[in-house]
């Protein structure tokens, strides 16, 4: 009986931790509608990828409001690349079209 209660508590804890939505990654903010699909953060470079319904212009504006003007920006292979320094770390934010969604990849080095 005790082991069943412990098993249920562990399962509930895992379920709750899966439903926690992060609002930032290495202090880089995520949009309110971010649907995270990949996270690699055990070591640098760290990467987080999410989908958003916001337009590329809206996403660019969001990051400019949150992080200020980027150190550099460029469009490479149809993807908007925004370069920032956040807490002494290099951050690249890539924004691209994916059907009706925008994919945002945040890379921290």
């Amino acid at each position: 009986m005790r082991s069943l209660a412990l098993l249920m508590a562990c399962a509930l804890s895992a379920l709750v931790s899966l439903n926690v939505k992060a609002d930032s990654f290495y202090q880089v903010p995520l949009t309110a509608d971010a649907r995270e699909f990949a996270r690699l953060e055990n070591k640098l470079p760290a990467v987080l990828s999410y989908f958003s319904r916001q337009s590329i212009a809206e996403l660019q504006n969001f990051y400019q409001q949150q992080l200020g003007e980027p150190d550099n920006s460029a469009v490479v292979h149809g993807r908007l690349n925004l370069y920032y320094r956040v807490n002494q770390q290099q951050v690249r934010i890539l924004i691209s079209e994916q059907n009706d969604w925008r994919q945002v990849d945040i890379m921290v080095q």
Side-chain angles (χ1 to χ4, degrees):
M1 188 70 161
R2 182 175 178 213
S3 61
L4 178 61
L6 182 60
L7 179 63
M8 290 178 66
C10 288
L12 180 60
S13 174
L15 181 63
V16 168
S17 67
L18 287 175
N19 287 326
V20 173
K21 184 175 184 296
D23 60 355
S24 68
F25 177 71
Y26 283 83
Q27 298 184 335
V28 176
L30 308 181
T31 61
D33 71 334
R35 296 183 73 178
E36 182 181 322
F37 69 89
R39 179 185 289 248
L40 302 168
E41 62 182 346
N42 293 337
K43 61 181 182 173
L44 295 179
V47 179
L48 179 136
S49 297
Y50 71 88
F51 289 117
S52 171
R53 288 280 190 189
Q54 295 183 44
S55 70
I56 289 177
E58 289 170 324
L59 290 164
Q60 183 177 14
N61 187 49
F62 171 79
Y63 282 107
Q64 285 178 341
Q65 287 179 351
Q66 297 295 314
L67 301 174
E69 287 296 319
D71 297 334
N72 193 9
S73 65
V75 176
V76 179
H77 304 293
R79 297 181 181 114
L80 176 61
N81 290 257
L82 303 172
Y83 299 89
Y84 289 96
R85 284 197 79 59
V86 177
N87 293 328
Q88 305 303 319
Q89 293 180 304
Q90 291 180 320
V91 174
R92 181 168 59 157
I93 301 171
L94 285 83
I95 305 171
S96 59
E97 294 280 347
Q98 297 293 335
N99 299 320
D100 293 334
W101 295 83
R102 261 51 60 212
Q103 179 175 330
V104 178
D105 302 298
I106 301 169
M107 293 175 227
V108 179
Q109 296 185 8

